[in-house]
Amino acid sequence: TPPDLIRNFCIIAHIDHGKSTLADRMLQITGVVEERAMRAQYLDRMDIERERGITIKSQAVRMPWASEDVTYCLNMIDTPGHVDFTYEVSRSLAACEGAVLLVDAAQGIEAQTLANLYLAMENDLTIIPVLNKIDLPAAQPEKYAAELAGLIGCDPSEVMRVSGKTGEGVEDLLNEIVAQLPAPTGNADAPARAMIFDSVYDTYRGVVTYVRVIDGQLSPREKIAMMSTKATHELLEIGVISPEPKPSRGLGVGEVGYLITGVKDVRQSRVGDTVTNSAKPAADALGGYRDPKPMVFSGLYPIDGSDYPILRDALDRLKLNDAALVYEPETSVALGFGFRVGFLGMLHLEIVRERLEREFNLDLISTLPNVVYEVEVDDGRVITVTNPSEFPEGKIAQITEPVVRATLLAPSEFVGAIMELCQSRRGSLRGMDYLSEDRVEMRYTLPLAEIVFDFFDALKSKTRGYASLDYEPDGEQTADLVKVDILLQGDTVDAFSSIVHRDKAYAYGTMMATKLKDLIPRQQFEVPIQAAIGARIIARENIRAIRKDVLAKCYGGDISRKRKLLEKQKEGKKRMKMVGSVEVPQEAFIAALSQD
Ligand code: GDP
Ligand code: MG
């Protein structure tokens, strides 16, 4: 297709504002997906995506659209909708010339509306503002058209109105996409350059790489090179998705499609990298490539220790499909053999864990997640700590922790509650704007460790669900952090060590000591549970001693019953872990680690 007949766009929206539904309607109206084959959220292919109603991986689909007797080729690139995947979002945006900015006509602008709009503006995209769900009785199109127009600086009459559900206005929107978005430009005679905006592992075909061609041309059977690694591969297949993969004779300037080279690992085909022709390589890679950087680490252990080899193989398999996943073996006194795993964020952690449990039939326990700290010890060495066990003993010169720039949007009545919450999470207010009379945008700098685990739930409950949140990494800051250890009769239980702010050390220590007191059965001797910072004890509980005689429970002489009991006790022993001389059922550790 000649570039002037191509339009590349994405839909950006706050979660639940109807992006997937609108995409479905476009597929239907352009005839790409037949009525019969239509299922909701056609583009959300992964089970977890469909169940949770979120988009994790982006996909691209090509749609023909005739506008004023000319048939155009529209490439719709679906972007992931969660902060954990901001980098993937920014690469999908970089593959487009324009964005449909979709806002729920009954909700108005939310935090991710803004975050995505800013990403789109950074990528110089033409923005088409659209109100969705105008069929809803609660829709307030006048009010929110004004809000949206104010945000992007256009006239309220230029804000389009659609319903992804009924299809109303969607044809007009497709025509506007053709009319308003610029056609791609690029040099057809230059050496090939194509940007990778997604890469997915497929069991049968190996890695399928999604690209947008900027310059030149890619053709089947030629040798291509990845510019970040210089690795070369033969292009076994190249094609477009419409809505299923169709091989083509090549991709030219502005075109969007997929490549297959037979590689088996998405790490060999990384999002953000530039593909070129190895015989006639481009001089410079396209800008913006970045290695995925894990932000949150957690230990993952099989509940049944004999599942360890299955877990290892499962991680090796998942890694093929997930360039951001990193892990290394780890052992724990309490939990046995497992892995230290790095994730982009909590959603990424949950997805990986869910896939391991579901696709590989594993029962897993994860330790308290932590962010990455840089600890400078007295002699000037800097230690990167991804696990509390790596936290250095002795004198520490300084510790830095990652921080984020957070954007919170809420009705103005919640300003006080939000400030209180952010204060308790060590946040500092950076700015505040009223988007309209009753809606306020607040910007905070917050430690990642304070926002990543349960902040969103706390925010929702303090604002009755009316606040929305988005954040992005914003460097590091120094902080007064300590490692709190939990000791059973003087021995540290590694799985419970945690790095926390000094002001929160006592609260963490007491919480864990109290929890464990209730979970660990009495022993033949008294067992102290202590929380400590280094050698200093900050909290203590005791488990009182008992003489435990199971057989005493059996009155009478029923010998077979006694034998059964003894056997049961032996079984239980197998799952007992020894911490020093204290016997702890593994269930106690698991219960102490499970969040509730
Ligand atoms: P996404 O998270 O932005 O992809 O949103 P979805 O497309 O999954 O939609 C979120 C919810 O809003 C779903 O329950 C949809 O059925 C509903 N929805 C989406 N578009 C419309 C619309 O135009 N009208 C109405 N009434 N509901 C819609
Ligand atoms: Mg969706």
Side-chain angles (χ1 to χ4, degrees):
T1 314
D4 57 327
L5 294 181
I6 299 174
R7 299 292 183 273
N8 296 322
F9 73 99
C10 55
I11 306 173
I12 54 181
H14 190 76
I15 189 137
D16 282 347
H17 281 203
K19 187 177 76 167
S20 302
T21 307
L22 177 62
D24 286 349
R25 221 48 349 91
M26 288 181 168
L27 292 177
Q28 219 171 3
I29 289 173
T30 57
V32 167
V33 179
E34 280 173 58
E35 203 90 31
R36 273 183 301 125
M38 197 69 212
R39 52 191 159 91
Q41 275 118 37
Y42 191 87
L43 295 171
D44 297 343
R45 287 169 205 230
M46 245 194 270
D47 278 353
I48 297 172
E49 295 182 275
R50 301 177 67 81
E51 276 165 30
R52 296 189 180 206
I54 50 169
T55 306
I56 297 163
K57 289 301 244 174
S58 49
Q59 299 281 357
V61 55
R62 179 175 163 136
M63 309 181 284
W65 184 245
S67 191
E68 294 176 355
D69 295 334
V70 183
T71 300
Y72 291 84
C73 162
L74 309 184
N75 291 304
M76 172 166 61
I77 295 176
D78 197 18
T79 55
H82 192 275
V83 294
D84 282 9
F85 306 99
T86 303
Y87 177 64
E88 266 94 342
V89 179
S90 85
R91 293 305 85 199
S92 325
L93 296 184
C96 304
E97 275 75 31
V100 170
L101 179 66
L102 196 67
V103 171
D104 186 326
Q107 302 282 333
I109 293 165
E110 296 288 0
Q112 284 161 281
T113 318
L114 290 182
N116 286 321
L117 172 65
Y118 298 151
L119 279 178
M121 285 161 62
E122 277 167 31
N123 282 292
D124 289 325
L125 303 195
T126 301
I127 313 277
I128 301 179
V130 178
L131 287 180
N132 187 31
K133 310 198 191 181
I134 53 163
D135 61 291
L136 283 178
Q140 294 178 275
E142 298 306 323
K143 178 179 174 189
Y144 293 124
E147 199 180 86
L148 193 47
L151 179 68
I152 65 170
C154 68
D155 192 85
S157 65
E158 293 171 57
V159 175
M160 301 197 67
R161 298 171 186 198
V162 307
S163 165
K165 189 173 172 187
T166 66
E168 187 182 346
V170 177
E171 289 190 17
D172 289 342
L173 177 55
L174 290 166
N175 289 330
E176 283 307 308
I177 287 170
V178 168
Q180 289 189 33
L181 300 193
T185 53
N187 185 348
D189 302 319
R193 291 202 297 177
M195 189 195 61
I196 300 178
F197 61 88
D198 200 2
S199 116
V200 187
Y201 176 77
D202 179 292
T203 324
Y204 302 104
R205 326 193 70 192
V207 172
V208 180
T209 301
Y210 293 83
V211 295
R212 146 80 198 255
V213 177
I214 305 290
D215 293 322
Q217 158 101 19
L218 291 172
S219 317
R221 293 288 148 194
E222 73 183 15
K223 262 254 168 80
I224 57 163
M226 301 294 170
M227 292 191 76
S228 76
T229 59
K230 309 276 185 294
T232 62
H233 308 283
E234 189 187 343
L235 211 46
L236 300 179
E237 185 179 317
I238 185 166
V240 298
I241 312 268
S242 191
E244 299 304 329
K246 284 194 190 98
S248 75
R249 274 173 298 159
L251 295 176
V253 169
E255 287 194 291
V256 172
Y258 69 94
L259 315 173
I260 289 172
T261 62
V263 301
K264 289 278 185 283
D265 181 343
V266 288
R267 280 169 174 68
Q268 293 175 280
S269 204
R270 287 179 182 263
V271 171
D273 204 353
T274 305
V275 178
T276 191
N277 182 306
S278 85
K280 202 178 124 197
D284 301 305
L286 301 161
Y289 174 71
R290 202 169 85 193
D291 274 333
K293 188 174 159 211
M295 305 292 278
V296 172
F297 283 78
S298 168
L300 272 187
Y301 292 84
I303 285 177
D304 178 350
S306 66
D307 280 345
Y308 177 78
I310 304 178
L311 175 58
R312 188 190 50 215
D313 292 346
L315 283 167
D316 286 345
R317 289 274 297 279
L318 279 196
K319 190 172 101 168
L320 298 176
N321 199 11
D322 188 344
L325 185 66
V326 296
Y327 53 89
E328 55 183 42
E330 165 179 281
T331 51
S332 150
V333 176
L335 304 170
F337 292 99
F339 290 90
R340 193 79 196 157
V341 190
F343 305 95
L344 295 171
M346 289 304 281
L347 178 68
H348 188 211
L349 184 159
E350 276 174 44
I351 292 166
V352 169
R353 181 168 169 179
E354 205 169 308
R355 290 191 65 184
L356 288 169
E357 297 198 309
R358 190 193 304 223
E359 293 169 27
F360 301 91
N361 215 357
L362 286 161
D363 271 329
L364 299 173
I365 179 76
S366 51
T367 62
L368 281 180
N370 59 267
V371 301
V372 181
Y373 301 99
E374 301 285 341
V375 183
E376 190 185 328
V377 285
D378 245 10
D379 63 12
R381 269 181 315 133
V382 176
I383 299 166
T384 301
V385 173
T386 58
N387 185 337
S389 70
E390 297 160 347
F391 198 83
E393 309 279 328
K395 265 197 111 33
I396 282 162
Q398 80 169 21
I399 306 175
T400 60
E401 63 174 343
V403 293
V404 300
R405 189 175 7 185
T407 306
L408 298 113
L409 251 75
S412 40
E413 57 180 302
F414 296 115
V415 165
I418 292 175
M419 284 184 157
E420 205 175 294
L421 174 65
C422 290
Q423 205 119 39
S424 75
R425 301 299 180 107
R426 301 190 281 129
S428 42
L429 184 63
R430 289 287 172 232
M432 200 163 126
D433 286 309
Y434 280 83
L435 295 177
S436 61
E437 236 167 67
D438 55 358
R439 207 200 227 353
V440 66
E441 175 195 352
M442 300 166 79
R443 292 179 299 276
Y444 269 91
T445 299
L446 280 149
L448 177 63
E450 298 282 352
I451 206 171
V452 83
F453 307 125
D454 59 350
F455 183 88
F456 192 57
D457 291 337
L459 178 70
K460 286 270 161 195
S461 77
K462 280 184 192 296
T463 60
R464 297 204 309 272
Y466 281 112
S468 58
L469 163 75
D470 204 274
Y471 58 87
E472 57 179 288
D474 194 25
E476 277 88 40
Q477 69 179 18
T478 59
D480 189 11
L481 303 169
V482 293
K483 181 174 77 150
V484 179
D485 292 318
I486 306 297
L487 292 77
L488 273 187
Q489 219 188 23
D491 285 305
T492 303
V493 188
D494 49 13
F496 299 136
S497 295
S498 182
I499 296 167
V500 297
H501 192 263
R502 193 180 296 277
D503 292 347
K504 292 179 180 170
Y506 176 75
Y508 176 72
T510 345
M511 188 265 294
M512 284 313 287
T514 318
K515 238 186 191 182
L516 288 173
K517 184 188 169 194
D518 294 336
L519 290 168
I520 297 177
R522 292 177 179 192
Q523 315 270 317
Q524 318 265 5
F525 42 86
E526 186 180 82
V527 178
I529 307 172
Q530 296 163 308
I533 300 174
R536 193 161 60 84
I537 305 299
I538 57 168
R540 176 182 174 131
E541 292 282 345
N542 282 321
I543 305 170
R544 279 189 296 125
I546 53 144
R547 241 202 88 70
K548 147 173 99 172
D549 184 357
V550 247
L551 298 187
K553 280 193 207 128
C554 306
Y555 14 83
D558 182 348
I559 205 79
S560 73
R561 198 158 154 217
K562 274 185 191 168
R563 192 170 301 132
K564 253 194 205 139
L565 255 172
L566 281 172
E567 241 142 56
K568 234 176 141 187
Q569 202 190 27
K570 228 162 68 197
E571 279 240 318
K573 274 253 200 296
K574 274 196 280 180
R575 271 182 281 131
M576 287 290 181
K577 304 276 175 174
M578 296 300 292
V579 177
S581 51
V582 185
E583 270 188 349
V584 184
Q586 194 184 14
E587 287 73 44
F589 290 127
I590 292 166
L593 283 171
S594 54
Q595 277 97 348
D596 37 36

